[in-house]
Amino acid sequence: MTDELRTAALESKAWPYEEARKLLKRYPQGKQGAPILFETGYGPSGLPHIGTFNEVLRTTMVRNAFHALSDTPTRLIAFSDDMDGLRKVPDNVPNGDMLREHLGKPLTQIPDPFGTHSSFAAHNNAILREFLDRYGFDYEFASSTEYYTSGRFDEALKGVLRHFQGIQDVMLPTLRAERRATYSPVLPISPTSGIVLQVPIEVIDAEAGLIAFEDEGQRIEQSVLGGKAKLQWKVDWAMRWVALGVDYEMAGKDLIDSVTQSSKIARVLGGRPPEGFNYEMFLDENGEKISKSKGNGLSLDQWLTYGPQESLAFYAYREPKKAKSLHMGVIPRAVDEYWQFRGNYAAQDLKQKLGNPVHHIHDGKLPEGELPVTFGLLLNLVGVMGEASKAQVWGYLANYVPDASAESYPELDKLIDHALAYGRDFVAPTLKRRAPVEHEVAALERLDAELAALPAEASAEDIQNIVYEIGKTGGFENLRDWFKALYETLLGSEQGPRMGSFIALYGIDNSRKLIAEALARPAA
């Protein structure tokens, strides 16, 4: 790390650096030899979704930003709350009737409805870890069940019993009257049913970890240690912060109240709440919060089918405190904007680079390579090609890109796969070419004649000038109407690319065939 980089990072307004500076303020003299601990949390009561992945991604960006400011070592724990009791059956998993028979039990004690892992939690944890490993995150996975049952939380649990009344004083005023009557920070696990019980408890001996509670009409005295109990969510979060020494954890805006109450409880337990910030939620195309149990919104696999992982990271980086829709329609723009920012990076000064999203996506180590065409242009190309192979797409690219090959442009080669998949599933079904009307017919005929007079190797700029001139003199109220007519009659969509670039890519002869088809199309 250079002094110049550290100085610029100390002044950067990029949100990861702003977050990292909170940790510098927290430990102005370092952490006495211990690493700064970052944590992300996940509840495996449903299939992981992009929101879970993005929390790890954003936390990693803050961690990387901290490395630019300090030589203090760091760790990142991805914590799975897999000892939580299953409260409801998710809508997007098989064998729902079987799961209903196990409602209330810890997620690690419920059979896997997919039949591939030892438990429902193990299945969902495996998916999460595969997500994180695919991206190459540097993290340590932690299981709530393992931490509770191994005794790693035993001392912290004794602390909860010692401060039982203080925790109640924090929580009870936040609850409705009927909930206050039965609330307990500690949830014993029934020795008979195995269910995580939501019942009042009596602390018998805090130092021994002994409590009493009622289970199926009987008074039970039982230890809370060794996995025989877990804690309510907000208390559990606070206990974990204190027991592990968590220094930074971000959370969704829907958990602001939880952060507030857990922070109070952490102080009751004698600890210090972590730094962090509240990000806004991802919404589905209907404006509803993405939910593990509903399975709405996009899955990580879906995004990575239609766009590269860098585009997802770009989308996650931008404006984390602003609610954003997460649906198929956002992928093409995210791809092209990522490449736009990546293309700008080399010529920027250090201050601009530190504010560029790609700096945080790649931790300042950008891969080499360029993208000679936009993803939007690729989608328009595969849209007019219909059923097309990758080799055929490369054939058209040879009209436009010097030395067009997978060897010369490996990232473009991968992007063609994404474009073919996206075009097949989301572009082709929506294309509907209309017949041109009156003055549009004359303008298209003129465009055809002008293209016929051009050499096959005419540049995109030369073609664009012709298109532009026809639009200005062809009887259109404005150029937007002319371009819209081109998109709707030739491409079958309401929006489209720079036509000079598209015609150069598709080829003059092929583009003239599109014009001929449009002119021959009967009016509706």
Side-chain angles (χ1 to χ4, degrees):
M1 166 193 337
T2 66
D3 291 340
E4 183 185 14
L5 173 59
R6 179 172 289 180
T7 299
L10 284 168
E11 298 173 352
S12 175
K13 290 182 169 57
W15 68 261
Y17 288 117
E18 291 181 338
E19 291 302 300
R21 288 196 291 269
K22 293 179 182 178
L23 291 167
L24 279 186
K25 187 176 181 181
R26 183 181 179 95
Y27 295 114
Q29 306 301 321
K31 201 181 173 183
Q32 298 179 343
I36 300 289
L37 184 60
F38 294 80
E39 182 182 60
T40 63
Y42 161 65
S45 57
L47 300 177
H49 55 65
I50 281 180
T52 307
F53 169 84
N54 282 344
E55 185 169 307
V56 180
L57 176 70
R58 287 168 170 164
T59 302
T60 296
M61 289 176 176
V62 177
R63 185 185 182 193
N64 291 338
F66 179 77
H67 290 161
L69 300 173
S70 172
D71 296 324
T72 303
T74 66
R75 295 168 57 209
L76 169 60
I77 291 179
F79 198 95
S80 172
D81 190 16
D82 55 18
M83 200 167 162
D84 196 18
L86 180 66
R87 296 178 181 83
K88 63 178 181 178
V89 176
D91 298 334
N92 58 338
V93 299
N95 296 312
D97 290 340
M98 179 275 289
L99 288 176
R100 263 181 282 278
E101 296 175 6
H102 296 277
L103 284 174
K105 293 181 182 178
L107 294 164
T108 44
Q109 300 302 312
I110 296 174
D112 177 17
F114 296 89
T116 58
H117 291 75
S118 60
S119 69
F120 188 33
H123 175 273
N124 295 339
N125 286 340
I127 293 177
L128 174 67
R129 297 180 73 173
E130 194 274 331
F131 281 2
L132 304 184
D133 292 342
R134 185 190 307 183
Y135 197 85
F137 287 116
D138 174 23
Y139 73 99
E140 304 164 36
F141 178 78
S143 159
S144 176
T145 298
E146 193 277 324
Y147 273 53
Y148 271 101
T149 58
S150 69
R152 294 185 67 172
F153 280 156
D154 279 358
E155 283 304 312
L157 288 169
K158 292 177 186 178
V160 169
L161 297 186
R162 292 187 199 104
H163 298 283
F164 188 84
Q165 188 55 52
I167 294 171
Q168 291 286 71
D169 291 343
V170 171
M171 289 304 303
L172 293 183
T174 70
L175 305 174
R176 296 189 300 271
E178 61 271 23
R179 181 80 172 107
R180 285 199 298 270
T182 60
Y183 178 84
S184 167
V186 180
L187 306 176
I189 295 178
S190 169
T192 53
S193 67
I195 289 174
V196 181
L197 299 174
Q198 304 243 9
V199 294
I201 69 150
E202 175 189 349
V203 178
I204 302 296
D205 186 339
E207 298 308 316
L210 192 62
I211 62 170
F213 57 93
E214 187 173 298
D215 182 19
E216 297 183 4
Q218 290 187 317
R219 177 181 166 86
I220 304 291
E221 292 190 5
Q222 180 172 294
S223 173
V224 301
L225 309 180
K228 293 188 170 103
K230 78 173 299 289
L231 300 179
Q232 287 276 12
W233 151 237
K234 295 174 186 176
V235 186
D236 184 273
W237 207 9
M239 179 275 293
R240 200 160 73 215
W241 289 343
V242 175
L244 302 180
V246 176
D247 296 305
Y248 188 91
E249 182 162 6
M250 59 178 63
K253 189 176 179 180
D254 58 333
L255 295 180
I256 287 178
D257 176 67
S258 296
V259 171
T260 300
Q261 303 308 322
S262 295
S263 296
K264 292 178 181 178
I265 295 167
R267 294 186 183 96
V268 169
L269 294 174
R272 183 182 183 185
E275 308 300 325
F277 84 122
N278 296 105
Y279 55 83
E280 259 289 3
M281 309 308 296
F282 283 117
L283 308 174
D284 66 14
E285 57 189 341
N286 297 316
E288 296 181 0
K289 175 189 168 185
I290 291 176
S291 163
K292 292 191 299 288
S293 60
K294 289 182 180 179
N296 57 335
L298 289 184
S299 72
L300 186 66
D301 282 335
Q302 284 175 316
W303 188 295
L304 296 182
T305 297
Y306 304 112
Q309 64 185 28
E310 294 87 357
S311 62
L312 173 57
F314 177 87
Y315 194 71
Y317 174 86
R318 302 293 300 277
E319 301 176 303
K321 293 192 175 184
K322 179 180 177 181
K324 292 187 287 189
S325 296
L326 191 61
H327 54 79
M328 291 299 176
V330 307
I331 296 177
R333 183 175 178 182
V335 174
D336 280 336
E337 289 189 345
Y338 161 78
W339 275 99
Q340 180 183 353
F341 278 88
R342 179 165 155 181
N344 293 338
Y345 187 80
Q348 292 177 326
D349 61 31
L350 183 56
K351 179 180 178 182
Q352 291 171 320
K353 284 180 176 178
L354 297 189
N356 189 323
V358 300
H359 178 85
H360 301 277
I361 293 168
H362 298 289
D363 192 20
K365 307 174 189 70
L366 270 67
E368 294 183 358
E370 60 179 339
L371 194 68
V373 296
T374 66
F375 190 55
L377 193 57
L378 276 180
L379 290 177
N380 288 123
L381 175 62
V382 301
V384 297
M385 290 176 69
E387 293 290 332
S389 68
K390 191 173 187 177
Q392 288 172 320
V393 175
W394 272 116
Y396 280 100
L397 287 168
N399 297 326
Y400 187 72
V401 181
D403 191 24
S405 69
E407 292 73 27
S408 299
Y409 299 101
E411 289 180 287
L412 176 58
D413 189 61
K414 296 175 184 176
L415 208 56
I416 291 172
D417 289 325
H418 295 306
L420 287 169
Y422 194 94
R424 177 192 66 233
D425 295 341
F426 300 105
V427 176
T430 66
L431 296 181
K432 186 177 181 181
R433 296 177 178 87
R434 66 169 176 82
V437 298
E438 298 175 354
H439 62 292
E440 294 174 349
V441 171
L444 286 172
E445 289 174 341
R446 182 178 166 192
L447 176 60
D448 180 63
E450 294 270 14
L451 292 178
L454 287 175
E457 65 276 9
S459 71
E461 197 61 37
D462 289 340
I463 298 170
Q464 182 68 17
N465 288 338
I466 290 171
V467 173
Y468 188 80
E469 185 62 29
I470 293 173
K472 287 199 300 182
T473 59
F476 296 92
E477 288 189 13
N478 54 62
L479 282 170
R480 183 179 300 174
D481 290 343
W482 166 228
F483 291 128
K484 189 170 185 287
L486 289 170
Y487 301 148
E488 292 177 348
T489 60
L490 303 185
L491 305 182
S493 60
E494 293 183 357
Q495 298 178 335
R498 196 169 185 265
M499 287 305 297
S501 298
F502 174 77
I503 293 170
L505 173 60
Y506 195 50
I508 288 177
D509 288 344
N510 288 319
S511 298
R512 291 187 64 204
K513 289 177 184 176
L514 287 180
I515 295 172
E517 291 170 2
L519 293 172
R521 195 171 294 127

